[in-house]
Amino acid sequence: MGGTSSLYIMNMALMGMGIYALIAKRHIIKKIIGVVIMEYAINLFLILLGYKTDGIAPIQDSSINAAQLAVRAVDPLPQALVLTSIVIGLGTLALMAAQAIKLYEKYKTFDMSEINRLRG
Amino acid sequence: MNHILPLLVGIPLGMSVINLILSKASKRISDVIAPLAVLAVAVLSFYLLGTETTAYWMGGWYPPFGITLLYDGLTSLLLIVVNTVAFLAIFYSISYMEKYTSKPKFYSLFLLMLAGMNGVVITGDLFNMFVFLEIASIASYALVGFGVEHEELEASFKYLILGSFASTMILLGIALTYAMTGTVNMADAATMLQSIPASKTMAFAAGAFIMGFALKSGLVPFHAWLPDAHPSAPAPVSAMLSGVLIKAIGVYAMLRVIFNVLGPTAINLNIMVVLGALSMAVGGFLALGQNDMKRMLAYSSISQIGYIVMAFGLGTHLGFIAGLFHLFNHAAFKSLLFLSSGAIEHATGTKDLRRLGGLSGKLPVTTTTTIAGALSISGVPPFNGFFSKLLIIIACVSAGRWFLAALAATISVVTLIYFFKMMRFSLFGELPAKLQKIREVPFPMAFSLIALSVICLAVGIAYFVGPTFSELFLEPGANVLLDGLKNNAANYISSVLGG
């Protein structure tokens, strides 16, 4: 189990890195990268939940019966969830990138601390 | 009967695509089909009212394998609120959005947002809820930045970053729930969670869920994006965001997860009370100092959402009724106020209270509806806001929370003060020389304003006159929450899993 738990710890570190970039960085692109790192950390976490050492693909054919498959196969559900989640992340990323370009056109800067017309 | 349920998502989702394709042929066609699509969904949600709790299994896959859609008392109230406000907002946009380019794209985004909200409301599956939540959120990020000017883009980007963070937190909560239960079906997860002892993992998951939903609903201290995003959006979008979006994907989703999946433990309920009371007070006092009309309304939304969440957090039957009633009323008067401020902006070109004044002579319809909205939200009888605020205060007293009752009463006085400020500076006083030539708003805008004012007044009177309104709209929703509180959500679980 030692291997798996160190994976979880590295996963948490990745998440922390994402949050750090999101909060501490003022550059818009770096903030966007922070959001993406965070999303990927969660995706990785979901995949890890279904992970099995030496697991096989969850496809049943004539060489294996259902009981054996249940023991050896990796959990397919998180993989399906992560696919959906990656697509959602792509949509968000595209919108963020488009906004970053538009913001640069208007303000001529990527520094979030200079983009501060809204106050109060 | 339950075959209607997928249509509530399918119609807006499909029409948002069809609308974009058809608009290549003729721009005018969007003005017809988009409002008609929303009208169809609104009619369906009224048609479903009063039917008993039913589940629909997508594609015939039975739970816990397939996605379950569920229609119950809480769903019925939210569907009616969301779709009625959506119809009036989109009807209003027919004239209001004229000044923006690419109106068909606005309609498509609007329909996507509606599809996402309806999806969140009817789904019985945690991950499915996340997907719909993201559909609604991404569409709303784009809609906030629809004007692509300096302020809109800035607000939209802030909203997007914080919204993505909230979504990630919600997904983390779902992942942890999946790790503990091995299912993402809400009812199935609830059953599993009741059979295993409480763990630190689930406490962390509850924290992630509550943080995510509190960010989405703009509760203090997670409110930083709201006063930027809601005023920067075009008026019909502000009305949707403040009126229904923060309730459907924030408050409603939080209620479902807490009452039906995680279980309304004392800690969860107390967190709701604290967040609610804090939002109520901070939002109210910050609204006092605003000079931008829409910004004031946005702070007022934070304050009113605080009332709603606090009432639910009390964990009593009366608290649930009061919360649901205030949720219903807030959707009506806050969208009315945002649409009215949009009408004032449409006529005068500004939303700065210091540059307005004396509009009552020039804009009779808008003035009347603004006054109706302001009186409702500040709790003046016989408008609806009076009864729901009174109920919230009574619920606090009967739960023995005297401090909360006093706070709620104080903040309602504060509300009255800032709305008097808004009316004094915009509607009455001297008309600035620049605004001598303004004209009243066109028919579609006036229609939506009047319809919402009538709803505000009629609901207040209907509640006062007899129990029919409460029995039809509020009691079924309160019973769902009560089932979660007293009964370990047994009815919910059996209606999703059983048949």
Side-chain angles (χ1 to χ4, degrees), chain B residues 258-456:
Chain B
I258 288 183
F259 281 87
N260 286 152
V261 183
L262 302 173
T265 56
I267 299 174
N268 290 348
L269 291 178
N270 281 332
I271 291 175
M272 286 177 82
V273 167
V274 171
L275 285 177
L278 208 60
S279 311
M280 190 168 78
V282 173
F285 282 111
L286 285 175
L288 271 177
Q290 302 303 320
N291 284 318
D292 179 318
M293 204 170 161
K294 287 176 83 175
R295 210 174 171 81
M296 180 188 272
L297 292 177
Y299 275 111
S300 150
S301 279
I302 297 175
S303 169
Q304 303 299 318
I305 281 287
Y307 272 100
I308 296 169
V309 172
M310 186 190 76
F312 286 126
L314 291 174
T316 59
H317 182 249
L318 192 61
F320 296 152
I321 293 271
L324 289 172
F325 193 25
H326 202 59
L327 186 150
F328 184 101
N329 293 342
H330 182 250
F333 52 61
K334 188 47 65 68
S335 44
L336 170 62
L337 283 164
F338 264 117
L339 293 181
S340 298
S341 74
I344 289 174
E345 199 189 350
H346 187 79
T348 63
T350 180
K351 50 185 181 167
D352 189 336
L353 288 174
R354 288 166 296 193
R355 278 188 259 159
L356 291 168
L359 300 178
S360 55
K362 290 280 181 183
L363 305 172
V365 175
T366 312
T367 304
T368 318
T369 59
T370 310
I371 293 174
L375 292 183
S376 305
I377 196 170
S378 1
V380 175
F383 287 97
N384 54 6
F386 169 74
F387 296 104
S388 53
K389 281 194 182 174
L390 189 66
L391 266 185
I392 289 177
I393 295 171
I394 294 173
C396 287
V397 171
S398 68
R401 309 273 188 110
W402 290 95
F403 173 72
L404 293 178
L407 188 65
T410 315
I411 297 300
S412 79
V413 176
V414 172
T415 313
L416 192 65
I417 294 172
Y418 62 76
F419 275 101
F420 269 124
K421 174 184 168 185
M422 190 190 92
M423 289 195 281
R424 162 71 185 77
F425 282 101
S426 62
L427 305 177
F428 306 114
E430 206 171 314
L431 188 68
K434 267 193 210 163
L435 302 178
Q436 293 295 344
K437 285 185 185 158
I438 57 172
R439 280 183 302 153
E440 184 56 275
V441 294
F443 167 72
M445 291 168 75
F447 172 81
S448 294
L449 293 174
I450 293 169
L452 281 166
S453 318
V454 170
I455 291 174
C456 283

Side-chain angles (χ1 to χ4, degrees), chain A residues 12 15 19 22 28-29 31-32 35 38-39 42-43 45-46 49-50 75 77-78 80-82 84-85 88-89 91-92 95-96 98-100 102-103 106-107 112 115-120, chain B residues 127 130-131 134 138-139 141-142 145 148-158 160-161 164-166 168-169 171-172 174-176 178-179 182-184 204 227-229 232 290 295 299:
Chain A
M12 283 301 286
M15 175 93 188
I19 296 178
L22 187 64
I28 287 182
I29 304 294
K31 272 190 193 293
I32 292 175
V35 171
M38 232 171 65
E39 277 169 3
I42 300 285
N43 290 346
F45 178 65
L46 266 167
L49 290 177
D75 188 351
L77 185 69
L81 301 187
V82 164
T84 317
S85 163
I88 292 173
T92 322
L95 187 60
M96 282 192 290
Q99 280 183 340
K102 279 282 174 195
L103 273 170
K106 295 284 177 192
Y107 287 87
M112 207 58 204
I115 301 175
N116 56 2
R117 289 206 182 182
L118 295 168
R119 286 282 154 134
Chain B
F127 192 75
F130 171 74
V131 172
E134 281 295 85
I138 294 178
Y141 307 145
V148 284
E149 283 306 320
H150 291 82
E151 286 83 2
E152 281 100 337
L153 285 168
E154 183 190 339
S156 174
F157 188 75
K158 282 181 187 166
L160 175 53
I161 293 288
S164 309
F165 182 71
T168 314
M169 282 297 133
L171 188 58
L172 178 64
I174 293 170
L176 289 168
Y178 179 75
T183 176
V184 285
F204 185 59
D228 291 341
S232 302
Q290 302 303 320
R295 210 174 171 81
Y299 275 111

